[in-house]
Amino acid sequence: MTLTTVLIVAAALIGIGLYGALSQQSFVMLMMGLELMLNGTLLAAIGFWSYGLGGAPEGQLMAIIVMAVMAVDMAVGFALIVAVYRKRQADVTESLTTLKN
Amino acid sequence: MLFLLAIAPALGAAITFASDMRTRFGLATVSSGTTGVTLAVAIVAAGFGWTGAIGWSDQLRLTAALTPMAATMAILVPLIALPVLLYAAGHESERGLKRLIVLLLLFVGGMELLVVAADLLTLLIGWEIVGACSWALIGHDWRDPDNPRGGLYAFVTTRFGDLGLFLAAMAAFAGAGSFAYADLAGLPSPMIEMVAFGILVSAAAKSGQVPFSPWLFRAMAGPTSVSALLHAATMVAAGAYVLIRLHPVLHQEPAFAPAAIGIGLVTALAGGLVAALQPHAKKLLAASTSAHYGLMFVAVGAGYPLVALLHLVAHAGFKALLFLAAGIAGEKAGTYELDRMGFGRALPSVAALSALGALTLGGVPPLAGAWTKEEIVAVAGHRGLWLAAGVMLAGGLSAAYAARFQLMAFGRREAAGGSGPGRLEYCGVGLLAGFSLLLSALWYPAIHDAVATAFGAEIPSSTLAELIASLALVALGLLAGASLARTAPALGKVGTGAALSDWLGLPSAIRLGITRPFSRLATSAAWFDDAVFDAVPRLVAATGKGIASHASLSDTFVVDRGVRLAAAFGVWLARLGDTVGEFVTDGLPRGTAGIVGFGGAEARQLQTGLTHQYYALLGGGAALLVVVLIIVA
Amino acid sequence: MPLGDILPEIAVLLTAVAVLLAATFLPRDRQAWCAWLALVGIAVSLLLCTMQVGSSRLTFSGVWALDGASTWARLMILATTAVALGLSPDWVKTDRRHGEFYAVLLFSCLGAMALAGASDLMQVVMGALLSSVTGYTLAAYHRDWGTSVEAGMKYFLVGALANTVMVTGVVLMLGMAGTTDFAKMETALGAGASAPLLMLGFGLVVVGLAFKLGAVPAHAWMPDVAEAAPVPAAAFLTVAPKIGAAIALARLVDLFPTDAFAIRPVIAVLSVLTMTLGNLAALWQDDVRRLIGWSSVSQSGYALMAVTVVGLTEQAIPALLFFLLGYAAANLAAFAVVGHLRGRTDRRDYAGLAATRPVAATILVLSFLSLVGIPPLAGFVGKLELFVATIEGGYAWLAIVAIANTVASLFYYLRVIGPLSFGKAEGSQPQILGRWSSACMTIGGASIVVLGLAAGTLLALFQTASLLPVTAS
Amino acid sequence: MGLIDDAAFLLLSTVAILSGWRVFATDSMVRASFLLMMSFIAVGLIMLLLAAPYIGLATVFMMAVEMMVMALFMVMFMMNPAGLNPMMMVHQHQLAIGAGVFAFVGLTAAVLFTDLPDDRVDPGAPVVHDLGVELLGNSMLIFETAGVTLLATMVGAVVLSSRSGRFGAADEGSRPPGLEVGGEPAGRQPVQGGGGHHHHH
Amino acid sequence: MLTLSILIPIAGALVLAISPKLAEAQARFAAIIVSAVPLLLLVIVWIGFDTSPSAPAFQSVAEAPWIPTLGVAWRVGVDGIALALSLMTALLFIAAVTWPADTMGRTRQYYAWFLFLEGVSLGLFLTLDLLIFYVFFDLSLVGMYFLIGRWGHGDAKAAALKFFVYTLAGSLAILLAIIALALSHDPLTFDMRTLIADQPLSAGAGASLVLLGFLLGFAIKTPLVPFHTWLPPAHVDAPGPASAILAGVLLKMGTYGIVRIPMSMMSETFARWALPIGILALVSILWGALVAFAQKNLKRRIAYTSVNHMGYTVLGIAAAGAFTAKGSTAARDLALTGAVTEMVAHGLITGSLFLIAGAFWQRAQSYDLDNYGGLARIAPKLTAATVLATFASFGLPALAGFVAEFQIFTGTFAVYPWLAALGLLGILITAALFLVMVQSLFFGDLPPQRAHFPDLRGPEIWVVSVLLFLVVLIGIWPAWLLDLIGAGTRALIEGG
């Protein structure tokens, strides 16, 4: 368990998350991809904190911020999903193509 | 002060224009008054040695001065103009008569300016004013589109010649920093050639020398009085005059003499031939004008400007006379075709006056024209026998067409009928005849010696052999002319004769070689301008107009444009091989426009409305950015 | 805790809370009062912010920069918010809960202000996040209008990814530089170490800020929001976050020494891509709001020109500030006109407007010409400053590209101006929204002209505007 | 200690990655969200290993709650009642795989090529206390901003998602003003007037 | 005084634009009065202008700060060149405003735009600040864009758009060059006098690039071939008075710009590039004439002759700027004086020609030469005016064009003999093409549909008479003008 390995694991999570974000049609699944990316980021933050920053509290704070981003994204994301679904009965990105060009 | 000489006729013109005078008599009064005043001013100016100067700026100064020869010319112009204007007032159609008179007066003014000029700038101003007036005068009866076309032809041809004068002025300034005649003396080498040949070219153009001669024919579209003035004392005379005036300068350039002699002799012979063949009374006279100015060129080239001047004076008298007579005949016949004339019975007095002119033209002693022509033979003889022979031959031709003109126009073919010319016309013709007759006094040695002394120049005497040979040729010419008039009245109307009579085919050569190619060039240029230079904005606009879908975009831009470009390229190559470079360089903006318009359509396609593609874009962009950043760092 | 240093923000926050409460308790027909309340709050905040002009220090342990750039940017954001607020009541009055609209607008304003003043990467993240979540809400506020929710959703999706990317970048930078505090980072970066992971982190942060800025590659939301969000929200969202993000990005770029890191060329390329894409996409646009959206993308590209030369020339910050100011004025005026004309947006519908609604037409023309950069309007001075800065900073080629883009942009603005001025109106006189939109429109139009003519005074002020922690050398 | 830690890390990271991958390989949303939760919990446990007790636990709890909400959401709103039907909806799959792999490889490469800092946390350090000091001290402003953000998020989320408000249906009339008073608003509209359609296999 | 002559028309335009109660006739009358004010003021300046060699180059100078941080200020002042051009401009605007026009029911706006354009154009000639120069340069595009687009005919919108986009590209190139030039001076300043005195950018590739920027911009505006294609449509579709202003005033901005900026402020670099510029000018002369010759459309024909004439101007400028090359000071002075005289002369002559062309459109809605003929019968005044104007245009002596062109050619010949000699062909071709035009309009048979073609009348006669009177006056006695212009060129040539 070194910083390198932790970061590689984080990289793997980010990679998978990105895959999900890019490949999923459903808004919800797409958001899961984003969450997974943030998950990796969270891991990286703590990894750095633990191995590279000598425990500087900024590392922990960073992790909290990552969590805040997750939470905020989730909350507003779901709200929007609800709104879109109610108005457009749409739950996948392909359903929203009025605005283009 | 001397500029008054030019201003006086212009002022007269302005007064006439401003007044509402319309009657023939009134116009005759005004015009004769104006020319009379001009004449008086000229005499006074010559007597008192007036000069003039107007400063435009530090570098541009208009100056005027009279040398004895210039003074002669300054007097000659109103002297000839006076009878011609009287005639015009009496003869020409009443419609637009006032305009005609005004323009003729302006014409005289321009000519006077040209005559008194003592620097190239002033000369050029007068020179071009004369040209512009000739345009307006030739096209005087503009209702027939042929007339203004004739004016156009005349103007453009002579303006081409004017470029020579421009060039001369430019070279003078570059070499001497001044335009004054006085400063031209010591010009360095490339400049003096440009001055000499520039002036020669413009003189040749004005005087209707080969290859510019055809414009004189087209100038015949103008009224008779215009032709008379044009040929005798103004426009055409200006060419020869300027050579005479600037002879001291021009002779610095050794190549000038052969060039002037060559042009003059060729024109004299060709003009004579053309005149001998011409079926059109005025064109016959016009060709003869070219020929006689050719003789003057020979004289100047040979180094005897005074001889040339004297011939100019003599020519002015008889040529104006003949034109006016021809005008009367033409008026009666309703045409200028010689074979439709023959008014010896109908207009006996005119015929008699005309005969005087024709004999002078033919060079029959003891008339003035004969003496001046023999003088030219003599000066040519100084240059070489062949030249003298050439001049003699020209004299023979002159005699031939003079005889032909007189016999056909005023032979006794038809009975009298209709009215004769009016008083004013008689007045004009008579005055001119008197003038011509008066000049015959030059035959008296005392008189011509006095003239020579007055001008401070030498008048060579011709050898007896030359005189005999020359007169023999004149006699032969007269006979030939007479016989032609009898046996071949329709000469020059059909076939080779017709082709030759139109300046030996020179006009069609000009048309085929210059006018038409130029007009084609202009059309191609206009096409090119629209099609290629304008490609940038047009394509942008075109894309905007009709092209919605991507497919049609590529179709129009790539396929259609390709075809169009290829076709355009072919045409262009065929027409103007030498400007291919421009085409290629212009492909760039054209292509740019295409790409921009294209890009506009394409860029919007990026915005698909599909979020996951935005994600791809964002991801890809981020990846690219990061990779570049890492690599660059 | 130096609360005094964030008094303007506190004022906005308190107002937002008050508006929120008022929206809950006020009867439906009085909800518009919330707008006036919000305006009062903004006015107070503007006043407080004005009092900060001239200060140049870091506060809150280096998290918050009270420098010229921040102060002026926040003033602009507040003014933008005020205009958006003025446009709002008439626009959203059919909405049963429009009271909250103003509150969200105020929160969003707060987010943009946080970005502008942030002097710590974590604060940048928080500012971006606050600005984003409120932005999504604003864009999707017309819940009964299909395209509005679509725009909000798309805004959210792009934003969520961009914010995720940015957070990742911040984590990496934190790990490599050991801090997120700009002042400390500057020292760390001054050493000149350019580890791949650090650059990676920086790149990701740039992408995150590009989202707020509406720049490539995260620009996709801008035209959608401009077209479909409520017009006041569109006006606000195309302007305010951009101001904040531009300042934040400039601050970040400024940390890097000018010689050791080749990041400025990369920003320059981003600038080129952004302006070119924006202009090209706008070229054949027939929907005026969308056209403004794309033009906003291209304007972000111009703004990035100034960011490119930050640290290379003293003119960079004045140029950025004035350009943003001019852009804000023109864009707000344009949206105000659109709003005033009740959202009229088809290019062809504008035909003959010069005859039927001369004032609105004049202001729209003025704002478009200002966006092109026609003197003596505000946009011209902005662009002039940009050109001066880029040429002085050694990026003359960037200025040339910008010029080519400006020419292209004129084309599409004229595609609106042409029919508007020369076309024949069809149908009756266009109906308008109300007096408040008219006032906003007039203020916008006047400010375009006045800012241009009074540029000297403002530029003299901007000239002294510092950018902490590094002051332009 | 080291060995156990390493083994635990290996195990947990395997779980985190595998379950993360399975999120997108399962055909039920509910399952997907539980898998995601698993991944989070694994990461949280790794954090505990990394001596970040507070953050680790916070992650575990927060994510547990969040995933519950997510699962609930899917049951409540989505087209897939109960969220239990098999489903698999992907687009630009190849590209997405490529992007994922690229991101992983790229990040890994960057990590490997970077001279990583080495400054371990003191195992005995009062890390939670430090965090508290940081939050209420140096980074006070950040923390406050986060608070405001959460407040704003709540407001926004409520506005957007609430079905009814004080004055009846919450979204009634929530649309742009008409181009003419009382008329339809200007601009493009969804082709089917708002109807989306579902992409079932 | 100068400031007032800029601001009064602009203020007048504003007032006109926002006073809805004004009747058409009142608006027109007011516009005429306001447009005349600058001429009055400028004549006063002229009276006080000292043309003696010891006088300062720029006179009536005034200054007020605008953007001090950039060294930008409202600076006005005139030398002989600027004063001559601004006098011509002011006069031409009165003519254009007085010319009776079809205002399509929007009279106030029409005259407002004209007044606006007048202020802007005068501003360009009167300012001594590079940036203000650019401001007015750009604003002139805006004014003309609206005039063409709103009151033009045919495909006016497209023509206006093309005009605006094309020339804006040029003006932005100028802006960049201006900035680069100003930045090269330490401290940063846009003061023309300082930049002329200090010649901050004297050598190197950078200087050439800056010069290129200026030249590109001015070549588009002038326009020189091959940047001229915006001109014909803009002219054809513009209303007559707008065309007159476009040709008479706006084109001069390009040539004036070349003289005022690159030639004065970076004379060394300009001298190095003088020959290519001269060649470009020669190409414009010949190409403009050639293409004009083939045009069947009256206005297009005149438009292309503008390309030709501006070619003369640029040729003269190029020769005047080639100071390190051969050629005496006197010759270069002559060339520059000629170039400036050509600007004034062309303004008056082509201004009249376009006004006349506008009269044709108003009467018969056609510019096609084939649709006309024999008009001399029923419109003698029109005929006389046109003939005089065309003669002046192709450089007939005793008319203004000759004075200008003669000086240009003579001056240029001493520097670049070949360019001048070849350029002479231009005056031949233009003569031919104008005479053909006159011929097909006025001579020959009158087409029946033109039987009721009215002659010039009322204000038209006055306007054309005044313009053509000046053309004749300059042709016969140009000393007053050359003295004024010479004061400017002398300072430039001998000072440089």
Side-chain angles (χ1 to χ4, degrees), chain C residues 289-377:
Chain C
R289 271 193 262 171
R290 200 167 180 80
L291 183 147
I292 301 175
W294 277 117
S295 106
S296 298
V297 173
S298 76
Q299 302 280 336
S300 301
Y302 300 137
L304 283 175
M305 288 169 71
V307 175
T308 305
V309 291
V310 158
L312 293 174
T313 161
E314 286 174 12
Q315 293 295 333
I317 291 304
L320 181 60
L321 286 174
F322 202 94
F323 174 78
L324 289 171
L325 181 62
Y327 162 74
N331 222 45
L332 288 173
F335 270 116
V337 171
V338 172
H340 183 61
L341 298 172
R342 306 184 69 87
R344 173 170 298 258
T345 194
D346 190 320
R347 189 171 71 89
R348 290 166 289 261
D349 283 353
Y350 279 81
L353 196 70
T356 51
R357 288 276 173 208
V359 177
T362 307
I363 291 170
L364 192 63
V365 169
L366 277 178
S367 64
F368 278 179
L369 290 183
S370 177
L371 288 172
V372 178
I374 298 291
L377 306 172

Side-chain angles (χ1 to χ4, degrees), chain B residues 405-421:
Chain B
F405 170 80
Q406 178 63 24
L407 290 175
M408 287 187 79
F410 294 102
R412 292 165 179 269
R413 199 177 306 152
E414 279 175 35
S419 60

Side-chain angles (χ1 to χ4, degrees), chain C residues 61-424:
Chain C
S61 325
V63 170
W64 190 244
L66 263 186
D67 53 6
S70 142
T71 312
W72 289 111
R74 284 181 298 139
L75 280 170
M76 285 181 223
I77 292 167
L78 285 167
T80 304
T81 315
V83 173
L85 277 171
L87 271 176
S88 300
D90 284 333
W91 185 274
V92 292
K93 68 179 167 208
T94 53
D95 194 319
R96 290 181 171 177
R97 4 186 9 149
H98 64 105
E100 280 95 337
F101 183 82
Y102 315 114
V104 179
L105 202 56
L106 289 177
F107 279 124
S108 200
C109 165
L110 211 51
M113 289 169 84
L115 263 177
S119 178
D120 186 305
L121 274 178
M122 288 196 266
Q123 176 71 358
V124 169
V125 170
M126 285 325 299
L129 193 64
L130 176 55
S131 163
S132 299
V133 283
T134 46
Y136 313 147
T137 314
L138 287 173
Y141 211 89
H142 287 322
R143 296 160 326 274
D144 191 23
W145 191 242
T147 48
S148 176
V149 289
E150 178 176 340
M153 188 72 207
K154 285 180 167 172
Y155 190 18
F156 162 72
L157 289 174
V158 174
L161 180 59
N163 284 337
T164 304
V165 165
M166 174 154 74
V167 170
T168 310
V170 170
V171 166
L172 294 179
M173 286 189 88
L174 164 68
M176 295 313 298
T179 176
T180 54
D181 183 292
F182 280 173
K184 291 180 197 146
M185 277 175 83
E186 194 216 349
T187 322
L189 291 168
S194 64
L197 215 49
L198 180 73
M199 291 329 281
L200 204 159
F202 172 71
L204 296 183
V205 173
V206 169
V207 171
L209 285 173
F211 160 71
K212 291 273 75 183
L213 205 53
V216 167
H219 61 279
W221 60 274
M222 187 79 101
D224 294 351
V225 166
E227 179 184 351
V231 163
F236 177 84
L237 291 176
T238 51
V239 175
K242 187 177 286 186
I243 297 173
I247 300 295
L249 189 57
R251 232 184 263 283
L252 186 60
V253 168
D254 200 22
L255 300 177
F256 289 81
T258 50
D259 43 356
F261 295 85
I263 57 160
R264 286 178 175 82
V266 176
I267 302 286
V269 169
L270 216 54
S271 155
V272 167
L273 291 176
T274 305
M275 62 175 91
T276 310
L277 178 71
N279 281 327
L280 286 182
L283 219 49
W284 305 119
Q285 213 53 255
D286 282 325
D287 184 299
V288 172
R289 271 193 262 171
R290 200 167 180 80
L291 183 147
I292 301 175
W294 277 117
S295 106
S296 298
V297 173
S298 76
Q299 302 280 336
S300 301
Y302 300 137
L304 283 175
M305 288 169 71
V307 175
T308 305
V309 291
V310 158
L312 293 174
T313 161
E314 286 174 12
Q315 293 295 333
I317 291 304
L320 181 60
L321 286 174
F322 202 94
F323 174 78
L324 289 171
L325 181 62
Y327 162 74
N331 222 45
L332 288 173
F335 270 116
V337 171
V338 172
H340 183 61
L341 298 172
R342 306 184 69 87
R344 173 170 298 258
T345 194
D346 190 320
R347 189 171 71 89
R348 290 166 289 261
D349 283 353
Y350 279 81
L353 196 70
T356 51
R357 288 276 173 208
V359 177
T362 307
I363 291 170
L364 192 63
V365 169
L366 277 178
S367 64
F368 278 179
L369 290 183
S370 177
L371 288 172
V372 178
I374 298 291
L377 306 172
F380 162 70
V381 184
K383 270 204 178 143
L384 170 73
E385 274 282 336
L386 282 184
F387 292 154
V388 170
T390 38
I391 293 177
E392 200 175 26
Y395 281 83
W397 65 268
L398 189 56
I400 292 173
V401 174
I403 275 187
N405 266 287
T406 305
V407 173
S409 73
L410 176 64
F411 178 78
Y412 60 79
Y413 291 123
L414 288 187
R415 279 184 82 233
V416 179
I417 294 177
L420 177 152
S421 314
F422 313 140
K424 277 219 165 54

Side-chain angles (χ1 to χ4, degrees), chain E residues 359-441:
Chain E
F360 273 90
W361 181 268
Q362 275 189 334
R363 286 158 168 77
Q365 279 75 45
S366 167
Y367 288 130
D368 194 340
L369 291 178
D370 293 340
N371 281 343
Y372 292 99
L375 288 178
R377 239 174 276 256
I378 48 175
K381 294 194 191 92
L382 182 65
T383 312
T386 313
V387 168
L388 195 60
T390 52
F391 272 51
S393 185
F394 65 70
L396 193 79
L399 297 170
F402 171 78
V403 178
E405 281 152 34
F406 183 78
Q407 294 189 78
I408 290 174
F409 280 122
T410 312
T412 306
F413 188 83
V415 182
Y416 298 126
W418 283 108
L419 295 185
L422 288 172
L424 278 180
L425 284 176
I427 64 171
L428 180 67
I429 305 174
T430 43
L433 74 93
F434 270 125
L435 291 182
V436 169
M437 182 184 102
V438 166
Q439 188 179 305
S440 52
L441 285 175

Side-chain angles (χ1 to χ4, degrees), chain E residues 66-151:
Chain E
W66 183 33
I67 310 179
T69 54
L70 291 180
V72 179
W74 175 265
R75 303 181 172 98
V76 288
V78 282
D79 65 349
I81 299 172
L83 186 54
L85 285 173
S86 47
L87 281 165
M88 183 273 287
T89 302
L91 180 73
L92 204 57
F93 266 101
I94 304 179
V97 169
T98 313
W99 192 263
D102 174 16
T103 56
M104 301 186 184
R106 308 197 64 194
T107 310
R108 281 185 303 113
Q109 288 86 341
Y110 175 85
Y111 289 111
W113 277 117
F114 261 108
L115 290 179
F116 171 78
L117 205 53
E118 175 171 15
V120 164
S121 307
L122 286 174
L124 184 124
F125 293 124
L126 298 177
T127 185
L128 287 181
D129 188 281
L130 271 182
L131 203 76
I132 306 279
F133 175 90
Y134 174 79
V135 168
F136 286 129
F137 198 88
D138 252 17
L139 284 179
S140 72
L141 308 184
V142 178
M144 193 43 83
Y145 169 75
F146 283 102
L147 274 175
I148 296 177
R150 181 65 187 84
W151 288 278

Side-chain angles (χ1 to χ4, degrees), chain A residues 41 72 87-88 96 99 101, chain C residues 133 144 146 150 154 168 290:
Chain A
T41 304
V72 166
K87 181 65 194 165
R88 304 272 299 258
L96 298 180
L99 298 172
N101 293 334
Chain C
V133 283
D144 191 23
E150 178 176 340
K154 285 180 167 172
T168 310
R290 200 167 180 80

